[in-house]
Amino acid sequence: MKTKLKIGSLELADNLLLAPMAGITNLPMRLLAREQGAALCFTEMVSVNGLVRDGEKSFALMRSSAADRPLGLQLFGDDPELLAAGAELCEGLGDLIDINMGCPVRKVVGSGAGSALLQNPDRVRSIVAAVRSATSLPLTVKIRSGWGADTVNYLLIGRIAQDEGADAVTLHPRTRAQLFDGHADWQHIEQLKKTLTIPVIGSGDLFSAEDVLAMLNMTGCDGVMIARGALGNPWIFREALALQRGSAKIPPAPEERFSVAARHLALFAGTAGERVAVREMRKHLCWYARGLQGAAQFRAAVNRLEDRAGMEKAMYDFFMQR
Ligand SMILES: Cc1cc2nc3c(=O)[nH]c(=O)nc-3n(C[C@H](O)[C@H](O)[C@H](O)COP(=O)(O)O)c2cc1C
């Protein structure tokens, strides 16, 4: 099975991408995903309004390092000129620009951004055209199937993006109205792949390496973007690569779970300080523990921990003593 993927001028080592996730896909998470085979990782969505106002918080969301490349920067906004200005400000900070046209969150759609753009194909056209002329970086858009069940228009939006110079389209085939309910309709990914000539990247309900293989086989898409399936499970990338190459997947042994979770904490502490790291790592540790015996007690204990040494000891006891 072909595992290479080229997006515009960007040649990726494989076809597995870490999806943008707000509050989650920061530098430590991206580094760990890369170590397991993610060929391209995304920042969480960054407001162009914040960027053009020189907002420190917005630029902090794009903080990266030499090992964190290639990096996709995801922008959200509803104004073509502002998005173009935001793209210019991103020059040198990453290797690809993605425009969020899928976020269903009320605060984002209320400002006309995210999936609200799907209701306005003319605006989509202006945005892609404006950003295309503002940057020479590869440009992608990430969309949902449509706003609601009666307004499914991903083929139209995909064609517009392609006509205006986008280098790839990512589709999470749920409507905005669905939020995360029901199943992602992978047939939409297959239809989009048949319609466009630029690469199509599939997203939605990839919780295991087997799911990744199934989406690639079923839809013919060029690459996949993994989101919730990578939470506490960076190994999904190496496992999906192994299956694509016809090898057996190697799940992580307890020592590896421990060492990766411990590295996650250390990287977090290095970038955000110990206090923030311990607080933020609580949710990640709950994900790392998913499916393991004693996970409920571990979760309860971890959520009470306030210091790094205590967290490291709890992790050691949970992952290593089994
Ligand atoms: C907590 C969370 C935050 C997300 N944040 C973003 C985001 O910032 N930008 C975006 O385009 N999609 C975002 N998504 C959507 C994912 O990128 C992905 O398209 C969606 O979760 C479907 O993939 P999955 O079934 O593999 O989770 C987010 C999803 C989750 C669960």
Side-chain angles (χ1 to χ4, degrees):
M1 196 174 210
K2 177 178 149 274
T3 61
K4 289 263 193 289
L5 172 60
K6 190 162 183 261
I7 303 177
S9 55
L10 188 60
E11 287 197 39
L12 300 176
D14 62 63
N15 55 1
L16 306 179
L17 284 55
L18 176 67
M21 279 184 279
I24 295 172
T25 52
N26 57 8
L27 178 58
M29 168 102 185
R30 296 195 301 263
L31 290 174
L32 295 173
R34 290 177 192 285
E35 286 173 9
Q36 301 299 332
L40 175 65
C41 297
F42 285 81
T43 64
E44 65 177 88
M45 57 179 173
V46 178
S47 158
V48 283
N49 292 302
L51 287 183
V52 296
R53 284 199 214 105
D54 204 17
E56 212 177 297
K57 278 196 188 149
S58 301
F59 280 97
L61 295 176
M62 301 198 291
R63 199 175 293 144
S64 180
S65 70
D68 182 37
R69 305 306 274 262
L71 177 65
L73 307 168
Q74 195 192 51
L75 303 181
F76 76 95
D78 73 322
D79 183 285
E81 300 314 315
L82 278 187
L83 279 157
E88 278 174 13
L89 291 169
C90 289
E91 212 71 36
L93 302 179
D95 307 282
L96 174 149
I97 292 189
D98 182 72
I99 302 175
N100 183 320
M101 299 190 179
C103 180
V105 172
R106 196 183 299 255
K107 202 171 144 202
V108 172
V109 297
S111 71
S115 57
L117 291 169
L118 303 176
Q119 296 174 292
N120 193 341
D122 288 340
R123 179 64 67 95
V124 169
R125 186 179 293 285
S126 311
I127 287 174
V128 179
V131 178
R132 179 68 294 166
S133 39
T135 182
S136 54
L137 288 175
L139 171 63
T140 58
V141 298
K142 184 162 179 284
I143 65 175
R144 281 187 173 233
S145 294
W147 180 256
D150 299 338
T151 51
V152 166
N153 64 350
Y154 63 97
L155 293 178
L156 171 67
I157 299 288
R159 268 195 300 261
I160 290 173
Q162 175 171 284
D163 289 350
E164 298 304 328
D167 295 302
V169 175
T170 302
L171 174 61
H172 173 202
R174 283 185 172 90
T175 62
R176 190 271 167 174
Q178 271 181 289
L179 301 173
F180 280 88
D181 291 345
H183 292 291
D185 186 347
W186 290 359
Q187 283 180 8
H188 291 176
I189 299 173
E190 183 184 1
Q191 289 308 314
L192 189 64
K193 174 63 193 161
K194 285 186 179 147
T195 303
L196 301 187
T197 54
I198 57 176
V200 169
I201 296 157
S203 164
D205 299 348
L206 299 174
F207 295 110
S208 68
E210 287 77 8
D211 291 341
V212 171
L213 207 68
M215 181 188 276
L216 288 164
N217 283 331
M218 197 181 291
T219 69
C221 66
D222 302 279
V224 300
M225 220 183 233
I226 302 173
R228 290 169 295 171
L231 299 175
N233 185 22
W235 303 283
I236 192 171
F237 293 100
R238 103 173 160 204
E239 292 178 1
L241 265 185
L243 293 191
Q244 284 192 76
R245 288 170 179 158
S247 321
K249 67 177 194 182
I250 304 171
E255 301 77 38
E256 193 179 9
R257 269 183 202 274
F258 170 70
S259 67
V260 169
R263 243 170 73 62
H264 199 156
L265 173 59
L267 286 166
F268 225 132
T271 54
E274 290 199 0
R275 211 173 65 85
V276 173
V278 167
R279 211 176 50 220
E280 285 291 310
M281 276 303 289
R282 290 177 185 157
K283 65 184 179 208
H284 288 279
L285 287 178
C286 294
W287 292 322
Y288 278 111
R290 232 173 358 199
L292 299 180
Q293 210 185 354
Q297 294 95 305
F298 178 65
R299 271 199 302 272
V302 154
N303 281 322
R304 285 194 299 270
L305 288 170
E306 298 287 348
D307 68 298
R308 180 173 172 180
M311 186 168 263
E312 280 168 346
K313 177 169 183 330
M315 287 158 64
Y316 184 87
D317 291 346
F318 178 71
F319 291 111
M320 297 298 282
Q321 312 209 335
R322 55 182 57 246

